[in-house]
Amino acid sequence: MRTIGDLHTARQYLYLTEAFAWIAANVHEEPLTRAMRLAVSTTIATSNRLCGYATDYGRLSALFTVRAFSLPWLTVELNPLNTHGGRGTLAAAIERVARSCDNEVRRHVMDRPTSRTPTPVTMTLPRANDAHTVTVADATDAAEPAVPADPAVGGQAVLDAPAQLTITDPPYFDFIAYDALSQVFRAWLSDGAIAGAPLFPRPSAPKAADTVADADADDFGARLGLALGRACTGSDSLLAFTYKGGQDAWDAVGIALDKANLRVTALWPVLADPHMGHHTHEGNCEYDLLLVARPHHVTTATNPPTDPASLVAAFRAVRRVSGADIANIGRAYAMAFTRWGTQN
């Protein structure tokens, strides 16, 4: 396989090209166009030659189920135009996009200690269309992102105040190749735009020779710092994100925090992938590190309240902690030690 097109059978390629072409020719209202393109694009993950078949639950397994390209060649093929079967069908994809506009969501909640099994709960989340604005922009752009000016969607000319709370999931350097995983979708949607902004800005990913040593270079750490700095500028701003990775990855986070003038005010492990499939291998991490940061001018430099060894010992008293997790926790705290602060 040398091109994105090679990932699909002739039938799959015909279905995808015809679907996108039909939307372009027949749907001319921007919100509906965007929703339809989103629905079709989600079916790319189940309309390709690298899907597996999950025998334990009897359905096609999407391309990036384990955050990587699958190795087996497709032995079964989903019919994307089936009207009632398969989560990867076009009908199911359109239904999911339509359902995202509802005020109710259904979630499975673990209510311990009264229950040890997840319980389905329906939550009502009322929408207020005049109270929020959603925009697509490159977070590393020096200029403020433009947003719709239409009062009907709550738009302003520019974002007029710093965010009080930013919760994000930045790319994990080279721990997971997010740029490669998104390449398939970027190829099909490269001509898409929302409110004048490109749908896919340049991905933040380490370059082949990226040593993350130069904070002024156009490298991963510097670009991450630009994004984090734009997200956390006000006196009451708080930034939180989860992270894991090798030494270069945590070095890049240190560069990003320095460039954004941020101090770490909290850092603790969060059990993210407990005994799930590939994560059970001794060499893989089950914990993410949740990092909380605030601007320099509202913090005072201090030492962290604990050390990695004490933290790991406390966790080991409760459950197993792998060598990979111990190393990840140690690297995180070593990075944060000289960047720690308390809120003024």
Side-chain angles (χ1 to χ4, degrees):
M1 295 184 181
R2 293 179 173 83
T3 70
I4 298 298
D6 292 337
L7 287 170
H8 310 286
T9 66
R11 283 187 297 267
Q12 293 166 343
Y13 190 80
L14 177 63
Y15 150 69
L16 290 170
T17 53
E18 285 295 309
F20 283 118
W22 186 91
I23 294 171
N26 296 278
V27 185
H28 305 296
E29 298 179 15
E30 174 53 33
L32 185 57
T33 300
R34 184 169 65 245
M36 291 293 291
R37 285 170 61 85
L38 175 63
V40 173
S41 70
T42 64
T43 66
I44 294 173
T46 50
S47 298
N48 62 81
R49 287 172 162 157
L50 296 183
C51 291
Y53 188 77
T55 57
D56 53 345
Y57 59 93
R59 66 175 74 169
L60 204 69
S61 179
L63 175 59
F64 301 129
T65 303
V66 292
R67 301 175 180 166
F69 288 94
S70 304
L71 296 178
W73 192 271
L74 180 65
T75 55
V76 292
E77 187 173 342
L78 176 75
N79 176 6
L81 300 181
N82 192 309
T83 58
H84 61 276
R87 62 178 176 180
T89 62
L90 180 59
I94 293 174
E95 182 182 352
R96 277 199 305 274
V97 173
R99 197 164 56 242
S100 70
C101 298
D102 293 341
N103 288 339
E104 291 187 347
V105 295
R106 189 169 179 263
R107 296 289 183 264
H108 285 77
V109 178
M110 187 78 76
D111 185 18
R112 289 186 175 184
T114 60
S115 172
R116 290 187 173 271
T117 58
T119 303
V121 175
T122 299
M123 305 177 183
T124 301
L125 304 173
R127 293 174 180 267
N129 290 333
D130 58 345
H132 64 270
T133 299
V134 177
T135 185
V136 176
D138 187 341
T140 64
D141 193 340
E144 289 288 349
V147 299
D150 185 357
V153 296
Q156 306 294 326
V158 294
L159 299 182
D160 53 9
Q164 291 179 297
L165 173 64
T166 301
I167 301 175
T168 186
D169 185 17
Y172 294 169
F173 194 68
D174 58 356
F175 194 81
I176 300 172
Y178 286 115
D179 61 313
L181 300 183
S182 67
Q183 186 177 15
V184 175
F185 304 96
R186 282 185 279 130
W188 282 97
L189 296 171
S190 59
D191 61 333
I194 299 177
L199 189 58
F200 291 105
R202 179 164 69 95
S204 290
K207 301 173 185 176
D210 194 347
T211 62
V212 301
D214 186 357
D216 295 322
D218 183 27
D219 64 6
F220 177 86
R223 296 193 75 230
L224 180 59
L226 287 173
L228 299 184
R230 290 200 54 214
C232 193
T233 58
S235 297
D236 58 349
S237 292
L238 183 147
L239 168 71
F241 62 87
T242 57
Y243 205 79
K244 70 176 77 169
Q247 189 61 57
D248 281 348
W250 282 109
D251 287 345
V253 170
I255 288 175
L257 293 173
D258 293 343
K259 192 172 187 66
N261 292 317
L262 300 175
R263 283 197 178 100
V264 180
T265 56
L267 181 70
W268 63 89
V270 175
L271 189 60
D273 298 294
H275 301 294
M276 294 174 62
H278 299 275
H279 296 283
T280 58
H281 190 278
E282 181 65 21
N284 291 330
C285 293
E286 292 186 307
Y287 287 88
D288 284 359
L289 270 296
L290 178 59
L291 185 150
V292 179
R294 290 178 171 86
H296 271 199
H297 66 274
V298 297
T299 58
T300 301
T302 58
N303 290 329
T306 187
D307 61 88
S310 301
L311 189 65
V312 169
F315 272 82
R316 273 182 161 165
V318 179
R319 71 182 306 277
R320 182 186 71 87
V321 181
S322 71
D325 279 311
I326 293 172
N328 185 45
I329 293 170
R331 286 188 290 263
Y333 270 78
M335 180 282 302
F337 191 86
T338 58
R339 300 175 174 87
W340 199 272
T342 56
Q343 188 176 11
N344 294 339

